[in-house]
Every structure is written in structure tokens, then in C-alpha cells.
Amino acid sequence: MESIYEFMRQLVNPESIIQYGGIYLLLFVVFAETGLFVGFFLPGDSLLFTAGLLCATRVLQIHIVFLVLLIILGAVLGNISGYAFGKRVGIRLFKRESTLFFKQKHLISARKFYSKYGGKTIFFCRFLPVVRTFAPIVAGIVKLDYRKFLFYNLLGATCWVCSLVLCGYFLGIYVPEVKFYLEYIIIFLIVITSIPLIISSLKKKHKLAL
């Protein structure tokens, strides 16, 4: 039991993912977090920032251009996988009970984004933890036009990956001492990226209270 707990703890630690699993585990986590509904708990934003920072400090031995391109590819393929899964399984997912690796409320949140933003949801949700995992699945369920899906998928993945990876990379190049404060930066990123979800949750509670 303790070994399972330790494995799960390492799996949500961006620095551990890269140091112990290298580029392959990094790409798998990006793929799972952006396309498999069981990956909603994985560290997306903080992982990309950490990857850029560790690339700058040579802990991750890969050129920054290849790193960015590979992560974009992993993110795009993750969404395509989620779209195909949603299209195949369809509406049955909304009747499924919540489990440890599947939360019905996250799927409903992603559907609400579609009702508000349409196809642009694929782009916007790239920057929203948890919701981005379910957005491509809902796109498949509602049968969003595939060409439109691919366009927003590629655009969103490119902006998401470049903004976070390059931010970590250039910070590591010009302020190398920042690596000693990585844990605090990760906590900061988690808090910042969670703000939209917290606000959305508070709004729901407020509506229910009225």
C-alpha cells in the first residue's frame, strides 16, 4: 500500500516525472492529461514549466525546439484520442457513476463550456486544469466538426506548450538560481491555474444558495 502511495506521489510531482522517467514519461503524462479521462489529476501546467526549466539547466538533455515540438505533438494526439473516445462511447459517459478515476462533475463542466463557447472550447480549455482533459471527449460526444476540432486543437496545444515551456526555459537561462525554488514556483502555478475553477465553483454554490 505504501509503495502504491509513493508511486502516485511521484506521478503528480513534475520534477520526479522528468528526472526518473525522462522525455518518454513526460510525453505520456502530457498525452494522458489532455486526452484520457483518467489523467485529469496529472500535473499539466507545472510539468511543462518544469520541463522548460530543466531543459535550460541541462537536467533534461534535449534541444528546446525538439522538446517543444514533441510536447505539442503529445498534446495534439492526446486530444485526438479523447475526441475518438468520446465519439465512440458517446452519451453513455453521462450516465456513468463517478469513481476515483472518473468524475461526472468534470464532464458536465466541459459540456457547459461547449454550450457557451462552441468549438473555441478546445482552445480555451487548454489553459484550464481538469476541464482540458474532458473537453476533447465532449467534442467527440457532440460530434464537433473534425476540421474545426483539429484547428483549435493544434492552435491551443501550440499556445499552451510554448507559453509554459518557453517561460520555464528562459527563466532557467537568465535566472539559473530559480531551480532552487522550483517547489514554490510549482505551488504558485497550481494556485494560479486553479483560480478559474475555484471561481466557477463559488458561482455554482452562490446560485444554489439563491
Side-chain angles (χ1 to χ4, degrees):
M1 188 68 180
E2 186 176 344
S3 60
I4 295 177
Y5 170 78
E6 179 62 22
F7 172 76
M8 293 299 292
R9 191 179 70 83
Q10 295 295 338
L11 193 60
V12 297
N13 184 321
E15 192 172 6
S16 296
I17 288 173
I18 295 171
Q19 287 184 336
Y20 297 116
I23 187 66
Y24 299 107
L25 184 56
L26 165 63
L27 295 176
F28 173 76
V29 170
V30 170
F31 174 86
E33 202 258 352
T34 56
L36 304 180
F37 70 79
V38 295
F40 69 89
F41 65 91
L42 296 172
D45 301 315
S46 55
L47 178 62
L48 298 192
F49 178 88
T50 303
L53 180 60
L54 295 184
C55 179
T57 55
R58 308 308 301 162
V59 173
L60 191 58
Q61 297 287 329
I62 184 173
H63 193 281
I64 185 61
V65 173
F66 292 121
L67 177 64
V68 168
L69 291 176
L70 285 173
I71 296 178
I72 290 175
L73 179 62
V76 169
L77 292 177
N79 266 17
I80 290 175
S81 174
Y83 181 93
F85 178 77
K87 191 173 182 180
R88 181 176 182 181
V89 176
I91 203 67
R92 283 178 292 172
L93 272 180
F94 286 99
K95 299 177 182 178
R96 180 172 179 169
E97 294 183 3
S98 294
T99 63
L100 177 63
F101 294 106
F102 175 77
K103 301 298 181 183
Q104 183 69 233
K105 62 180 180 180
H106 300 324
L107 190 62
I108 294 173
S109 294
R111 184 170 63 176
K112 287 181 178 179
F113 266 92
Y114 268 95
S115 65
K116 187 174 183 179
Y117 298 109
K120 296 183 182 67
T121 299
I122 291 295
F123 176 83
F124 292 135
C125 285
R126 279 290 185 186
F127 302 89
L128 295 175
V130 181
V131 180
R132 67 168 156 257
T133 304
F134 293 89
I137 297 174
V138 177
I141 292 174
V142 301
K143 294 181 173 58
L144 176 67
D145 179 74
Y146 194 64
R147 287 177 295 181
K148 180 183 290 188
F149 166 77
L150 284 178
F151 172 76
Y152 286 117
N153 180 16
L154 182 58
L155 180 64
T158 301
C159 293
W160 180 56
V161 172
C162 287
S163 61
L164 288 166
V165 174
L166 294 181
C167 181
Y169 179 77
F170 287 115
L171 194 60
I173 290 291
Y174 295 108
V175 192
E177 296 82 9
V178 76
K179 64 183 179 182
F180 300 114
Y181 304 96
L182 184 56
E183 289 185 8
Y184 299 103
I185 295 174
I186 290 174
I187 292 173
F188 174 76
L189 283 172
I190 293 173
V191 171
I192 290 297
T193 55
S194 298
I195 288 176
L197 296 178
I198 294 172
I199 293 174
S200 176
S201 177
L202 291 175
K203 284 182 178 179
K204 289 178 183 177
K205 290 182 179 179
H206 180 69
K207 288 181 179 179
L208 290 174
L210 294 176

